[in-house]
Amino acid sequence: MIFTIAIDGPAAAGKGTIARAVAAHFGFAHLDTGLLYRAVGRHLLNGEDPVAAARALDPAELDEGALRTPEVAQAASQVAVLPEVRAALVDFQRGFARREGGAVLDGRDIGTVICPAAEAKLFVTASAEVRAQRRFRELAEKGLEVDYDTVLADVRARDARDMSRAEAPLVAAGDATVVDTSEMAIADAVAAAIAAVEARR
């Protein structure tokens, strides 16, 4: 059985949490495509060529913990605007999406570019202020020295970059179900996402 669920949205909207829960609910494989760009971004920070890094990316590099720093996030956003990097990672994502047994992919352009024919599409969003507060708490809990205003500025800068880039800008697919998590508990957001997928099955 091949069934693809595409979940898009801006940083810290909750799409990763929702994607993991939806994948677990349906027994599907899950890919956080942002980790691909974070892995390439880390190569950039190491002084390596991002295009070469994207073409040679090893799935074993997708260690989530090592890639969840603000520096890597900013570098990921920088390499994501490079058409050559995006092209190198498209085949990887499309192959994963059509694997047997079902797949959930979350990112910025899954429903619009990577899997425009996905059986179910969600666009998970929230206000910039709510997303910055979530990211601030997440970083503070990891013991990182951060302040809310800086995190909010970073969130807005990433949004501007992601939404204005010429190649695969962040935008909701026309047939995506929008889930705004600004005022929702995680359990409610997950339930809404599962209901939206069930409606497409």
Side-chain angles (χ1 to χ4, degrees), residues 141-201:
E141 284 168 6
K142 291 179 179 175
L144 296 170
E145 294 261 341
V146 289
D147 70 89
Y148 172 77
D149 289 338
T150 301
V151 176
L152 178 59
D154 284 348
V155 164
R156 286 177 169 155
R158 284 188 69 186
D159 285 353
R161 254 200 315 272
D162 292 341
M163 293 174 180
S164 64
R165 66 188 179 215
E167 188 82 12
L170 170 64
V171 62
D175 55 348
T177 298
V178 177
V179 179
D180 189 326
T181 67
S182 299
E183 305 292 331
M184 295 177 88
I186 285 293
D188 295 333
V190 169
I194 289 171
V197 173
E198 289 282 16
R200 297 298 184 100
R201 293 189 85 194

Side-chain angles (χ1 to χ4, degrees), residues 10 25 38 71 82 113 117 129 134 161 183 189:
H25 177 83
R38 284 173 179 261
E71 295 78 18
L82 303 174
V113 175
E129 292 76 14
R134 290 173 183 167
R161 254 200 315 272
E183 305 292 331

Side-chain angles (χ1 to χ4, degrees), residues 14-187:
K15 67 181 180 295
T17 301
I18 290 171
R20 285 188 292 273
V22 168
H25 177 83
F26 291 106
F28 290 0
H30 170 243
L31 176 64
D32 174 354
T33 64
L35 290 179
L36 302 177
Y37 292 94
R38 284 173 179 261
V40 175
R42 187 167 58 175
H43 282 283
L44 176 71
L45 292 175
N46 291 339
E48 299 167 53
D49 175 53
V51 177
R55 289 174 178 157
L57 193 63
D58 182 345
E61 293 181 51
L62 306 181
D63 173 22
E64 194 164 344
L67 300 176
R68 293 287 182 193
T69 69
E71 295 78 18
V72 171
Q74 287 298 330
S77 194
Q78 290 166 31
V79 300
V81 303
L82 303 174
E84 298 93 338
V85 168
R86 302 197 73 82
L89 297 178
V90 162
D91 287 344
F92 183 100
Q93 295 171 76
R94 285 181 175 158
F96 186 95
R98 302 315 282 171
R99 66 196 289 150
E100 189 65 37
V104 179
L105 289 82
D106 71 89
R108 300 284 196 282
D109 63 347
I110 310 304
T112 53
V113 175
I114 305 300
C115 304
E119 284 77 10
K121 299 178 189 177
L122 302 173
F123 189 84
V124 179
T125 189
S127 71
E129 292 76 14
V130 166
R131 292 184 288 120
Q133 191 63 51
R134 290 173 183 167
R135 183 54 49 86
F136 172 76
R137 281 199 305 268
E138 179 186 312
L139 295 171
E141 284 168 6
K142 291 179 179 175
L144 296 170
E145 294 261 341
V146 289
D147 70 89
Y148 172 77
D149 289 338
T150 301
V151 176
L152 178 59
D154 284 348
V155 164
R156 286 177 169 155
R158 284 188 69 186
D159 285 353
R161 254 200 315 272
D162 292 341
M163 293 174 180
S164 64
R165 66 188 179 215
E167 188 82 12
L170 170 64
V171 62
D175 55 348
T177 298
V178 177
V179 179
D180 189 326
T181 67
S182 299
E183 305 292 331
M184 295 177 88
I186 285 293

